[in-house]
Amino acid sequence: MSMPTAAASSNTTSSSGTTTTMTASAPALDTGVVKIDVPRLPADIRKQFYRDLQSLTHYVDRDLRQRITSVHANAKLISAQSKHIRGQTFALVKETRKWEETAGKASAILKEAGDVQNWAEILEVELSALEETLRIVDGKENDEPVT
C-alpha cells in the first residue's frame, strides 16, 4: 500500500529559548474522515497503529475471503447440478421420443383394427346381399337360409 507524502514541519524549542522549524517529506494517512500525519506520532504508537490497521484489514479480508470461497463453492455445485440436469433432460427427451413412437404405432394398430371392423361389417352386408340374391335365384322364396 503506497501512502501519499506530505511535507511535515515541526517546531522545537531549545533550552536557550530559540525555536527551530524542521520540514521533512513524510507519508500521511488519509482515512477519508481525518488525515493523520503518521511520522509525527511516536515510534511505538506508530508501530501499534500499523499493527492495528493490519489487524483490521485482515479481519475484513478474512470475512470476505470466507464469503468468496463460499460463493465459488456454491458456483461449482450449481454448475455440477446444471450439468447433471442437462444430462437428465436429454435422456428424458430420448425416452419421450420412444414413447411417442410407441404411441404412434399403437394408434396405427387401433386405426387398422377399426378399418378391419369396418371392412368386416361391409363384407357382412355384401354377403347378406349375395345370400339373398342366391336365394332368389334358386327359386326359394321361403325364409330358409341357404347353407
Side-chain angles (χ1 to χ4, degrees), residues 15-104:
S15 59
S16 62
T18 60
T19 303
T20 59
T21 304
M22 297 190 308
T23 304
S25 180
L29 180 64
D30 187 3
T31 62
V33 178
V34 176
K35 190 170 185 177
I36 303 171
D37 194 4
V38 177
R40 286 187 170 186
L41 299 173
D44 58 334
I45 294 175
R46 190 175 336 130
K47 286 180 184 178
Q48 183 62 40
F49 174 75
Y50 282 122
R51 276 190 296 235
D52 291 346
L53 186 62
Q54 187 177 19
S55 173
L56 178 65
T57 57
H58 177 72
Y59 175 75
V60 171
D61 185 40
R62 183 185 60 189
D63 187 44
L64 289 177
R65 284 182 191 265
Q66 288 174 347
R67 289 180 182 180
I68 290 170
T69 302
S70 175
V71 166
H72 283 291
N74 289 340
K76 287 180 182 179
L77 286 173
I78 290 171
S79 177
Q81 289 174 350
S82 174
K83 186 177 179 181
H84 178 71
I85 288 173
R86 195 175 309 120
Q88 287 182 331
T89 302
F90 288 135
L92 181 62
V93 167
K94 188 176 179 181
E95 190 70 25
T96 301
R97 287 183 182 150
K98 285 181 184 179
W99 280 108
E100 285 175 347
E101 184 180 329
T102 302

Side-chain angles (χ1 to χ4, degrees), residues 3-14:
M3 297 199 161
T5 58
S9 63
S10 63
N11 295 329
T12 56
T13 307
S14 66

